[in-house]
Amino acid sequence: MTAQPLGTVPTDGNARALSRRRTLREVSQATVEYLIEHGTADVTVKDLTRYAGISDRTFFRYFPRKEDAIRPFLMAGTERVAAEFLARPSDEPIKDSFVAVWSKAWPSTHPEEARKMYRVFGSDRAFQAVWLQTMIDSEDYWCEVLASRLGLDPRSKRMVFAAAAVLTAVRVAWRSFGHDEEVSLATTIAINIHMLSDDLFVPVRNSSLESEERKNHD
């Protein structure tokens, strides 16, 4: 997967795919809005389709199960954060870039809604499994994003580990945020990110880890 900022101008050849993607995200956003509004995962597909203004048939054309409908919303959030990250100054320390983009992300600017969303997902194993799997699936995406900032191969061990470490820092922050009204998600992510090794996030020529990795390949 090649990480690209949102907002790319479509061509005629992919207009249908983009239309489908737009529908997926609109239904997904409506699903998450409904779950937040009602504060429970105990909803039916009929509840969701009525709220989204679509038929059950249309819903199942895109989503095998109701839980799957949250995935496009979550991935869209990942892409927005990644796009903001890639737009940060190239000479800015990567840890500072992460802190900056998360401080302006939707969960940080709408903490009450975000906390309700997390609690709904956490109250149901199927929704929770989709949320966790979406984070795992986004590791490849973040490998690309980080590699583009550092001039590294996204398949390198360092990038794979760095992406997993960053997402773990975010996931653990969500857990604290979801269970404590006094916790700030952005602040907790910043604390967790700054506990990671600086050597994960420096360009290839300046990294002792990269040198060690090259030795392991030789």
mmCIF file with all atom_site columns, all heavy atoms in Angstrom, residues 165-190:
data_model
loop_
_atom_site.group_PDB
_atom_site.id
_atom_site.type_symbol
_atom_site.label_atom_id
_atom_site.label_alt_id
_atom_site.label_comp_id
_atom_site.label_asym_id
_atom_site.label_entity_id
_atom_site.label_seq_id
_atom_site.pdbx_PDB_ins_code
_atom_site.Cartn_x
_atom_site.Cartn_y
_atom_site.Cartn_z
_atom_site.occupancy
_atom_site.B_iso_or_equiv
_atom_site.pdbx_formal_charge
_atom_site.auth_seq_id
_atom_site.auth_comp_id
_atom_site.auth_asym_id
_atom_site.auth_atom_id
_atom_site.pdbx_PDB_model_num
ATOM 1   N N   . ALA A 1 165 ? 5.305   -0.091 17.026 1.00 0.00 ? 165 ALA A N   1
ATOM 2   C CA  . ALA A 1 165 ? 5.526   0.607  18.300 1.00 0.00 ? 165 ALA A CA  1
ATOM 3   C C   . ALA A 1 165 ? 4.636   1.840  18.412 1.00 0.00 ? 165 ALA A C   1
ATOM 4   O O   . ALA A 1 165 ? 4.040   2.107  19.468 1.00 0.00 ? 165 ALA A O   1
ATOM 5   C CB  . ALA A 1 165 ? 6.991   0.999  18.432 1.00 0.00 ? 165 ALA A CB  1
ATOM 6   N N   . VAL A 1 166 ? 4.542   2.598  17.331 1.00 0.00 ? 166 VAL A N   1
ATOM 7   C CA  . VAL A 1 166 ? 3.709   3.797  17.331 1.00 0.00 ? 166 VAL A CA  1
ATOM 8   C C   . VAL A 1 166 ? 2.247   3.435  17.570 1.00 0.00 ? 166 VAL A C   1
ATOM 9   O O   . VAL A 1 166 ? 1.556   4.060  18.388 1.00 0.00 ? 166 VAL A O   1
ATOM 10  C CB  . VAL A 1 166 ? 3.868   4.557  16.006 1.00 0.00 ? 166 VAL A CB  1
ATOM 11  C CG1 . VAL A 1 166 ? 2.754   5.582  15.826 1.00 0.00 ? 166 VAL A CG1 1
ATOM 12  C CG2 . VAL A 1 166 ? 5.230   5.253  15.951 1.00 0.00 ? 166 VAL A CG2 1
ATOM 13  N N   . LEU A 1 167 ? 1.780   2.414  16.884 1.00 0.00 ? 167 LEU A N   1
ATOM 14  C CA  . LEU A 1 167 ? 0.380   2.028  17.034 1.00 0.00 ? 167 LEU A CA  1
ATOM 15  C C   . LEU A 1 167 ? 0.093   1.446  18.412 1.00 0.00 ? 167 LEU A C   1
ATOM 16  O O   . LEU A 1 167 ? -0.997  1.609  18.952 1.00 0.00 ? 167 LEU A O   1
ATOM 17  C CB  . LEU A 1 167 ? -0.010  1.037  15.937 1.00 0.00 ? 167 LEU A CB  1
ATOM 18  C CG  . LEU A 1 167 ? -0.084  1.666  14.541 1.00 0.00 ? 167 LEU A CG  1
ATOM 19  C CD1 . LEU A 1 167 ? -0.290  0.603  13.475 1.00 0.00 ? 167 LEU A CD1 1
ATOM 20  C CD2 . LEU A 1 167 ? -1.211  2.696  14.475 1.00 0.00 ? 167 LEU A CD2 1
ATOM 21  N N   . THR A 1 168 ? 1.074   0.776  18.989 1.00 0.00 ? 168 THR A N   1
ATOM 22  C CA  . THR A 1 168 ? 0.905   0.295  20.358 1.00 0.00 ? 168 THR A CA  1
ATOM 23  C C   . THR A 1 168 ? 0.804   1.466  21.325 1.00 0.00 ? 168 THR A C   1
ATOM 24  O O   . THR A 1 168 ? -0.021  1.461  22.250 1.00 0.00 ? 168 THR A O   1
ATOM 25  C CB  . THR A 1 168 ? 2.073   -0.620 20.761 1.00 0.00 ? 168 THR A CB  1
ATOM 26  O OG1 . THR A 1 168 ? 2.095   -1.768 19.913 1.00 0.00 ? 168 THR A OG1 1
ATOM 27  C CG2 . THR A 1 168 ? 1.937   -1.071 22.213 1.00 0.00 ? 168 THR A CG2 1
ATOM 28  N N   . ALA A 1 169 ? 1.636   2.485  21.118 1.00 0.00 ? 169 ALA A N   1
ATOM 29  C CA  . ALA A 1 169 ? 1.571   3.681  21.954 1.00 0.00 ? 169 ALA A CA  1
ATOM 30  C C   . ALA A 1 169 ? 0.195   4.332  21.867 1.00 0.00 ? 169 ALA A C   1
ATOM 31  O O   . ALA A 1 169 ? -0.365  4.783  22.884 1.00 0.00 ? 169 ALA A O   1
ATOM 32  C CB  . ALA A 1 169 ? 2.656   4.674  21.529 1.00 0.00 ? 169 ALA A CB  1
ATOM 33  N N   . VAL A 1 170 ? -0.362  4.369  20.662 1.00 0.00 ? 170 VAL A N   1
ATOM 34  C CA  . VAL A 1 170 ? -1.693  4.954  20.467 1.00 0.00 ? 170 VAL A CA  1
ATOM 35  C C   . VAL A 1 170 ? -2.767  4.081  21.111 1.00 0.00 ? 170 VAL A C   1
ATOM 36  O O   . VAL A 1 170 ? -3.669  4.568  21.801 1.00 0.00 ? 170 VAL A O   1
ATOM 37  C CB  . VAL A 1 170 ? -1.969  5.144  18.966 1.00 0.00 ? 170 VAL A CB  1
ATOM 38  C CG1 . VAL A 1 170 ? -3.423  5.570  18.738 1.00 0.00 ? 170 VAL A CG1 1
ATOM 39  C CG2 . VAL A 1 170 ? -1.012  6.173  18.370 1.00 0.00 ? 170 VAL A CG2 1
ATOM 40  N N   . ARG A 1 171 ? -2.673  2.770  20.899 1.00 0.00 ? 171 ARG A N   1
ATOM 41  C CA  . ARG A 1 171 ? -3.685  1.847  21.444 1.00 0.00 ? 171 ARG A CA  1
ATOM 42  C C   . ARG A 1 171 ? -3.724  1.903  22.971 1.00 0.00 ? 171 ARG A C   1
ATOM 43  O O   . ARG A 1 171 ? -4.799  1.958  23.572 1.00 0.00 ? 171 ARG A O   1
ATOM 44  C CB  . ARG A 1 171 ? -3.398  0.428  20.975 1.00 0.00 ? 171 ARG A CB  1
ATOM 45  C CG  . ARG A 1 171 ? -4.362  -0.619 21.543 1.00 0.00 ? 171 ARG A CG  1
ATOM 46  C CD  . ARG A 1 171 ? -4.086  -1.997 20.989 1.00 0.00 ? 171 ARG A CD  1
ATOM 47  N NE  . ARG A 1 171 ? -2.726  -2.436 21.260 1.00 0.00 ? 171 ARG A NE  1
ATOM 48  C CZ  . ARG A 1 171 ? -2.328  -2.936 22.438 1.00 0.00 ? 171 ARG A CZ  1
ATOM 49  N NH1 . ARG A 1 171 ? -3.178  -3.032 23.447 1.00 0.00 ? 171 ARG A NH1 1
ATOM 50  N NH2 . ARG A 1 171 ? -1.081  -3.331 22.599 1.00 0.00 ? 171 ARG A NH2 1
ATOM 51  N N   . VAL A 1 172 ? -2.559  1.896  23.594 1.00 0.00 ? 172 VAL A N   1
ATOM 52  C CA  . VAL A 1 172 ? -2.500  1.958  25.055 1.00 0.00 ? 172 VAL A CA  1
ATOM 53  C C   . VAL A 1 172 ? -3.050  3.290  25.569 1.00 0.00 ? 172 VAL A C   1
ATOM 54  O O   . VAL A 1 172 ? -3.721  3.350  26.608 1.00 0.00 ? 172 VAL A O   1
ATOM 55  C CB  . VAL A 1 172 ? -1.049  1.732  25.534 1.00 0.00 ? 172 VAL A CB  1
ATOM 56  C CG1 . VAL A 1 172 ? -0.924  1.988  27.034 1.00 0.00 ? 172 VAL A CG1 1
ATOM 57  C CG2 . VAL A 1 172 ? -0.608  0.306  25.215 1.00 0.00 ? 172 VAL A CG2 1
ATOM 58  N N   . ALA A 1 173 ? -2.794  4.358  24.824 1.00 0.00 ? 173 ALA A N   1
ATOM 59  C CA  . ALA A 1 173 ? -3.331  5.669  25.209 1.00 0.00 ? 173 ALA A CA  1
ATOM 60  C C   . ALA A 1 173 ? -4.856  5.662  25.140 1.00 0.00 ? 173 ALA A C   1
ATOM 61  O O   . ALA A 1 173 ? -5.532  6.219  26.017 1.00 0.00 ? 173 ALA A O   1
ATOM 62  C CB  . ALA A 1 173 ? -2.763  6.755  24.297 1.00 0.00 ? 173 ALA A CB  1
ATOM 63  N N   . TRP A 1 174 ? -5.401  5.054  24.112 1.00 0.00 ? 174 TRP A N   1
ATOM 64  C CA  . TRP A 1 174 ? -6.863  4.944  23.993 1.00 0.00 ? 174 TRP A CA  1
ATOM 65  C C   . TRP A 1 174 ? -7.452  4.225  25.199 1.00 0.00 ? 174 TRP A C   1
ATOM 66  O O   . TRP A 1 174 ? -8.502  4.604  25.714 1.00 0.00 ? 174 TRP A O   1
ATOM 67  C CB  . TRP A 1 174 ? -7.243  4.202  22.718 1.00 0.00 ? 174 TRP A CB  1
ATOM 68  C CG  . TRP A 1 174 ? -7.498  5.057  21.526 1.00 0.00 ? 174 TRP A CG  1
ATOM 69  C CD1 . TRP A 1 174 ? -6.662  5.281  20.470 1.00 0.00 ? 174 TRP A CD1 1
ATOM 70  C CD2 . TRP A 1 174 ? -8.683  5.805  21.253 1.00 0.00 ? 174 TRP A CD2 1
ATOM 71  N NE1 . TRP A 1 174 ? -7.258  6.122  19.556 1.00 0.00 ? 174 TRP A NE1 1
ATOM 72  C CE2 . TRP A 1 174 ? -8.500  6.456  20.008 1.00 0.00 ? 174 TRP A CE2 1
ATOM 73  C CE3 . TRP A 1 174 ? -9.888  5.991  21.921 1.00 0.00 ? 174 TRP A CE3 1
ATOM 74  C CZ2 . TRP A 1 174 ? -9.466  7.276  19.434 1.00 0.00 ? 174 TRP A CZ2 1
ATOM 75  C CZ3 . TRP A 1 174 ? -10.866 6.807  21.356 1.00 0.00 ? 174 TRP A CZ3 1
ATOM 76  C CH2 . TRP A 1 174 ? -10.642 7.443  20.131 1.00 0.00 ? 174 TRP A CH2 1
ATOM 77  N N   . ARG A 1 175 ? -6.776  3.174  25.655 1.00 0.00 ? 175 ARG A N   1
ATOM 78  C CA  . ARG A 1 175 ? -7.290  2.405  26.785 1.00 0.00 ? 175 ARG A CA  1
ATOM 79  C C   . ARG A 1 175 ? -7.358  3.267  28.039 1.00 0.00 ? 175 ARG A C   1
ATOM 80  O O   . ARG A 1 175 ? -8.364  3.259  28.764 1.00 0.00 ? 175 ARG A O   1
ATOM 81  C CB  . ARG A 1 175 ? -6.407  1.180  27.036 1.00 0.00 ? 175 ARG A CB  1
ATOM 82  C CG  . ARG A 1 175 ? -6.934  0.244  28.122 1.00 0.00 ? 175 ARG A CG  1
ATOM 83  C CD  . ARG A 1 175 ? -6.161  -1.052 28.123 1.00 0.00 ? 175 ARG A CD  1
ATOM 84  N NE  . ARG A 1 175 ? -4.745  -0.841 28.394 1.00 0.00 ? 175 ARG A NE  1
ATOM 85  C CZ  . ARG A 1 175 ? -3.808  -1.776 28.234 1.00 0.00 ? 175 ARG A CZ  1
ATOM 86  N NH1 . ARG A 1 175 ? -4.150  -2.975 27.773 1.00 0.00 ? 175 ARG A NH1 1
ATOM 87  N NH2 . ARG A 1 175 ? -2.553  -1.517 28.518 1.00 0.00 ? 175 ARG A NH2 1
ATOM 88  N N   . SER A 1 176 ? -6.304  4.048  28.299 1.00 0.00 ? 176 SER A N   1
ATOM 89  C CA  . SER A 1 176 ? -6.312  4.953  29.455 1.00 0.00 ? 176 SER A CA  1
ATOM 90  C C   . SER A 1 176 ? -7.394  6.015  29.300 1.00 0.00 ? 176 SER A C   1
ATOM 91  O O   . SER A 1 176 ? -8.138  6.320  30.245 1.00 0.00 ? 176 SER A O   1
ATOM 92  C CB  . SER A 1 176 ? -4.942  5.619  29.605 1.00 0.00 ? 176 SER A CB  1
ATOM 93  O OG  . SER A 1 176 ? -3.931  4.655  29.817 1.00 0.00 ? 176 SER A OG  1
ATOM 94  N N   . PHE A 1 177 ? -7.468  6.576  28.119 1.00 0.00 ? 177 PHE A N   1
ATOM 95  C CA  . PHE A 1 177 ? -8.446  7.624  27.813 1.00 0.00 ? 177 PHE A CA  1
ATOM 96  C C   . PHE A 1 177 ? -9.870  7.121  27.980 1.00 0.00 ? 177 PHE A C   1
ATOM 97  O O   . PHE A 1 177 ? -10.744 7.817  28.512 1.00 0.00 ? 177 PHE A O   1
ATOM 98  C CB  . PHE A 1 177 ? -8.203  8.107  26.382 1.00 0.00 ? 177 PHE A CB  1
ATOM 99  C CG  . PHE A 1 177 ? -9.268  8.990  25.813 1.00 0.00 ? 177 PHE A CG  1
ATOM 100 C CD1 . PHE A 1 177 ? -9.393  10.311 26.227 1.00 0.00 ? 177 PHE A CD1 1
ATOM 101 C CD2 . PHE A 1 177 ? -10.134 8.525  24.832 1.00 0.00 ? 177 PHE A CD2 1
ATOM 102 C CE1 . PHE A 1 177 ? -10.368 11.146 25.679 1.00 0.00 ? 177 PHE A CE1 1
ATOM 103 C CE2 . PHE A 1 177 ? -11.105 9.339  24.276 1.00 0.00 ? 177 PHE A CE2 1
ATOM 104 C CZ  . PHE A 1 177 ? -11.220 10.653 24.708 1.00 0.00 ? 177 PHE A CZ  1
ATOM 105 N N   . GLY A 1 178 ? -10.124 5.894  27.529 1.00 0.00 ? 178 GLY A N   1
ATOM 106 C CA  . GLY A 1 178 ? -11.477 5.360  27.574 1.00 0.00 ? 178 GLY A CA  1
ATOM 107 C C   . GLY A 1 178 ? -11.978 5.050  28.962 1.00 0.00 ? 178 GLY A C   1
ATOM 108 O O   . GLY A 1 178 ? -13.192 5.057  29.201 1.00 0.00 ? 178 GLY A O   1
ATOM 109 N N   . HIS A 1 179 ? -11.059 4.810  29.896 1.00 0.00 ? 179 HIS A N   1
ATOM 110 C CA  . HIS A 1 179 ? -11.461 4.393  31.234 1.00 0.00 ? 179 HIS A CA  1
ATOM 111 C C   . HIS A 1 179 ? -11.355 5.495  32.280 1.00 0.00 ? 179 HIS A C   1
ATOM 112 O O   . HIS A 1 179 ? -11.734 5.281  33.434 1.00 0.00 ? 179 HIS A O   1
ATOM 113 C CB  . HIS A 1 179 ? -10.618 3.196  31.684 1.00 0.00 ? 179 HIS A CB  1
ATOM 114 C CG  . HIS A 1 179 ? -10.875 1.951  30.893 1.00 0.00 ? 179 HIS A CG  1
ATOM 115 N ND1 . HIS A 1 179 ? -12.080 1.277  30.921 1.00 0.00 ? 179 HIS A ND1 1
ATOM 116 C CD2 . HIS A 1 179 ? -10.088 1.258  30.028 1.00 0.00 ? 179 HIS A CD2 1
ATOM 117 C CE1 . HIS A 1 179 ? -12.018 0.230  30.128 1.00 0.00 ? 179 HIS A CE1 1
ATOM 118 N NE2 . HIS A 1 179 ? -10.828 0.196  29.567 1.00 0.00 ? 179 HIS A NE2 1
ATOM 119 N N   . ASP A 1 180 ? -10.854 6.648  31.896 1.00 0.00 ? 180 ASP A N   1
ATOM 120 C CA  . ASP A 1 180 ? -10.647 7.723  32.874 1.00 0.00 ? 180 ASP A CA  1
ATOM 121 C C   . ASP A 1 180 ? -11.061 9.061  32.279 1.00 0.00 ? 180 ASP A C   1
ATOM 122 O O   . ASP A 1 180 ? -10.467 9.526  31.297 1.00 0.00 ? 180 ASP A O   1
ATOM 123 C CB  . ASP A 1 180 ? -9.180  7.762  33.297 1.00 0.00 ? 180 ASP A CB  1
ATOM 124 C CG  . ASP A 1 180 ? -8.929  8.676  34.490 1.00 0.00 ? 180 ASP A CG  1
ATOM 125 O OD1 . ASP A 1 180 ? -9.741  9.579  34.737 1.00 0.00 ? 180 ASP A OD1 1
ATOM 126 O OD2 . ASP A 1 180 ? -7.901  8.479  35.170 1.00 0.00 ? 180 ASP A OD2 1
ATOM 127 N N   . GLU A 1 181 ? -12.063 9.683  32.875 1.00 0.00 ? 181 GLU A N   1
ATOM 128 C CA  . GLU A 1 181 ? -12.585 10.955 32.373 1.00 0.00 ? 181 GLU A CA  1
ATOM 129 C C   . GLU A 1 181 ? -11.555 12.074 32.427 1.00 0.00 ? 181 GLU A C   1
ATOM 130 O O   . GLU A 1 181 ? -11.655 13.051 31.696 1.00 0.00 ? 181 GLU A O   1
ATOM 131 C CB  . GLU A 1 181 ? -13.812 11.371 33.203 1.00 0.00 ? 181 GLU A CB  1
ATOM 132 C CG  . GLU A 1 181 ? -14.969 10.396 33.165 1.00 0.00 ? 181 GLU A CG  1
ATOM 133 C CD  . GLU A 1 181 ? -15.751 10.472 31.875 1.00 0.00 ? 181 GLU A CD  1
ATOM 134 O OE1 . GLU A 1 181 ? -15.574 11.460 31.139 1.00 0.00 ? 181 GLU A OE1 1
ATOM 135 O OE2 . GLU A 1 181 ? -16.548 9.545  31.603 1.00 0.00 ? 181 GLU A OE2 1
ATOM 136 N N   . GLU A 1 182 ? -10.565 11.941 33.284 1.00 0.00 ? 182 GLU A N   1
ATOM 137 C CA  . GLU A 1 182 ? -9.582  13.004 33.471 1.00 0.00 ? 182 GLU A CA  1
ATOM 138 C C   . GLU A 1 182 ? -8.395  12.909 32.507 1.00 0.00 ? 182 GLU A C   1
ATOM 139 O O   . GLU A 1 182 ? -7.564  13.806 32.442 1.00 0.00 ? 182 GLU A O   1
ATOM 140 C CB  . GLU A 1 182 ? -9.047  12.972 34.913 1.00 0.00 ? 182 GLU A CB  1
ATOM 141 C CG  . GLU A 1 182 ? -10.120 13.131 35.984 1.00 0.00 ? 182 GLU A CG  1
ATOM 142 C CD  . GLU A 1 182 ? -10.879 14.444 35.835 1.00 0.00 ? 182 GLU A CD  1
ATOM 143 O OE1 . GLU A 1 182 ? -10.217 15.470 35.573 1.00 0.00 ? 182 GLU A OE1 1
ATOM 144 O OE2 . GLU A 1 182 ? -12.116 14.430 35.973 1.00 0.00 ? 182 GLU A OE2 1
ATOM 145 N N   . VAL A 1 183 ? -8.326  11.811 31.768 1.00 0.00 ? 183 VAL A N   1
ATOM 146 C CA  . VAL A 1 183 ? -7.174  11.577 30.891 1.00 0.00 ? 183 VAL A CA  1
ATOM 147 C C   . VAL A 1 183 ? -7.372  12.258 29.543 1.00 0.00 ? 183 VAL A C   1
ATOM 148 O O   . VAL A 1 183 ? -8.443  12.163 28.935 1.00 0.00 ? 183 VAL A O   1
ATOM 149 C CB  . VAL A 1 183 ? -6.946  10.061 30.689 1.00 0.00 ? 183 VAL A CB  1
ATOM 150 C CG1 . VAL A 1 183 ? -5.939  9.803  29.570 1.00 0.00 ? 183 VAL A CG1 1
ATOM 151 C CG2 . VAL A 1 183 ? -6.453  9.427  31.982 1.00 0.00 ? 183 VAL A CG2 1
ATOM 152 N N   . SER A 1 184 ? -6.325  12.932 29.082 1.00 0.00 ? 184 SER A N   1
ATOM 153 C CA  . SER A 1 184 ? -6.320  13.522 27.741 1.00 0.00 ? 184 SER A CA  1
ATOM 154 C C   . SER A 1 184 ? -5.669  12.531 26.775 1.00 0.00 ? 184 SER A C   1
ATOM 155 O O   . SER A 1 184 ? -4.552  12.065 27.033 1.00 0.00 ? 184 SER A O   1
ATOM 156 C CB  . SER A 1 184 ? -5.538  14.834 27.752 1.00 0.00 ? 184 SER A CB  1
ATOM 157 O OG  . SER A 1 184 ? -5.137  15.206 26.442 1.00 0.00 ? 184 SER A OG  1
ATOM 158 N N   . LEU A 1 185 ? -6.348  12.218 25.694 1.00 0.00 ? 185 LEU A N   1
ATOM 159 C CA  . LEU A 1 185 ? -5.799  11.273 24.728 1.00 0.00 ? 185 LEU A CA  1
ATOM 160 C C   . LEU A 1 185 ? -4.514  11.810 24.105 1.00 0.00 ? 185 LEU A C   1
ATOM 161 O O   . LEU A 1 185 ? -3.503  11.103 24.023 1.00 0.00 ? 185 LEU A O   1
ATOM 162 C CB  . LEU A 1 185 ? -6.816  10.963 23.627 1.00 0.00 ? 185 LEU A CB  1
ATOM 163 C CG  . LEU A 1 185 ? -6.347  9.964  22.569 1.00 0.00 ? 185 LEU A CG  1
ATOM 164 C CD1 . LEU A 1 185 ? -6.071  8.603  23.189 1.00 0.00 ? 185 LEU A CD1 1
ATOM 165 C CD2 . LEU A 1 185 ? -7.381  9.843  21.441 1.00 0.00 ? 185 LEU A CD2 1
ATOM 166 N N   . ALA A 1 186 ? -4.535  13.065 23.681 1.00 0.00 ? 186 ALA A N   1
ATOM 167 C CA  . ALA A 1 186 ? -3.355  13.647 23.024 1.00 0.00 ? 186 ALA A CA  1
ATOM 168 C C   . ALA A 1 186 ? -2.160  13.674 23.969 1.00 0.00 ? 186 ALA A C   1
ATOM 169 O O   . ALA A 1 186 ? -1.035  13.344 23.573 1.00 0.00 ? 186 ALA A O   1
ATOM 170 C CB  . ALA A 1 186 ? -3.670  15.058 22.529 1.00 0.00 ? 186 ALA A CB  1
ATOM 171 N N   . THR A 1 187 ? -2.391  14.051 25.220 1.00 0.00 ? 187 THR A N   1
ATOM 172 C CA  . THR A 1 187 ? -1.293  14.106 26.190 1.00 0.00 ? 187 THR A CA  1
ATOM 173 C C   . THR A 1 187 ? -0.731  12.716 26.451 1.00 0.00 ? 187 THR A C   1
ATOM 174 O O   . THR A 1 187 ? 0.494   12.528 26.530 1.00 0.00 ? 187 THR A O   1
ATOM 175 C CB  . THR A 1 187 ? -1.775  14.723 27.516 1.00 0.00 ? 187 THR A CB  1
ATOM 176 O OG1 . THR A 1 187 ? -2.217  16.062 27.266 1.00 0.00 ? 187 THR A OG1 1
ATOM 177 C CG2 . THR A 1 187 ? -0.666  14.744 28.542 1.00 0.00 ? 187 THR A CG2 1
ATOM 178 N N   . THR A 1 188 ? -1.614  11.726 26.578 1.00 0.00 ? 188 THR A N   1
ATOM 179 C CA  . THR A 1 188 ? -1.165  10.365 26.852 1.00 0.00 ? 188 THR A CA  1
ATOM 180 C C   . THR A 1 188 ? -0.420  9.778  25.663 1.00 0.00 ? 188 THR A C   1
ATOM 181 O O   . THR A 1 188 ? 0.587   9.082  25.830 1.00 0.00 ? 188 THR A O   1
ATOM 182 C CB  . THR A 1 188 ? -2.361  9.472  27.220 1.00 0.00 ? 188 THR A CB  1
ATOM 183 O OG1 . THR A 1 188 ? -3.120  10.101 28.262 1.00 0.00 ? 188 THR A OG1 1
ATOM 184 C CG2 . THR A 1 188 ? -1.894  8.110  27.707 1.00 0.00 ? 188 THR A CG2 1
ATOM 185 N N   . ILE A 1 189 ? -0.893  10.063 24.456 1.00 0.00 ? 189 ILE A N   1
ATOM 186 C CA  . ILE A 1 189 ? -0.163  9.618  23.270 1.00 0.00 ? 189 ILE A CA  1
ATOM 187 C C   . ILE A 1 189 ? 1.228   10.261 23.250 1.00 0.00 ? 189 ILE A C   1
ATOM 188 O O   . ILE A 1 189 ? 2.230   9.595  22.951 1.00 0.00 ? 189 ILE A O   1
ATOM 189 C CB  . ILE A 1 189 ? -0.938  9.960  21.989 1.00 0.00 ? 189 ILE A CB  1
ATOM 190 C CG1 . ILE A 1 189 ? -2.158  9.033  21.846 1.00 0.00 ? 189 ILE A CG1 1
ATOM 191 C CG2 . ILE A 1 189 ? -0.039  9.826  20.753 1.00 0.00 ? 189 ILE A CG2 1
ATOM 192 C CD1 . ILE A 1 189 ? -3.047  9.355  20.661 1.00 0.00 ? 189 ILE A CD1 1
ATOM 193 N N   . ALA A 1 190 ? 1.296   11.543 23.579 1.00 0.00 ? 190 ALA A N   1
ATOM 194 C CA  . ALA A 1 190 ? 2.597   12.242 23.597 1.00 0.00 ? 190 ALA A CA  1
ATOM 195 C C   . ALA A 1 190 ? 3.548   11.584 24.596 1.00 0.00 ? 190 ALA A C   1
ATOM 196 O O   . ALA A 1 190 ? 4.728   11.351 24.283 1.00 0.00 ? 190 ALA A O   1
ATOM 197 C CB  . ALA A 1 190 ? 2.391   13.707 23.951 1.00 0.00 ? 190 ALA A CB  1
#
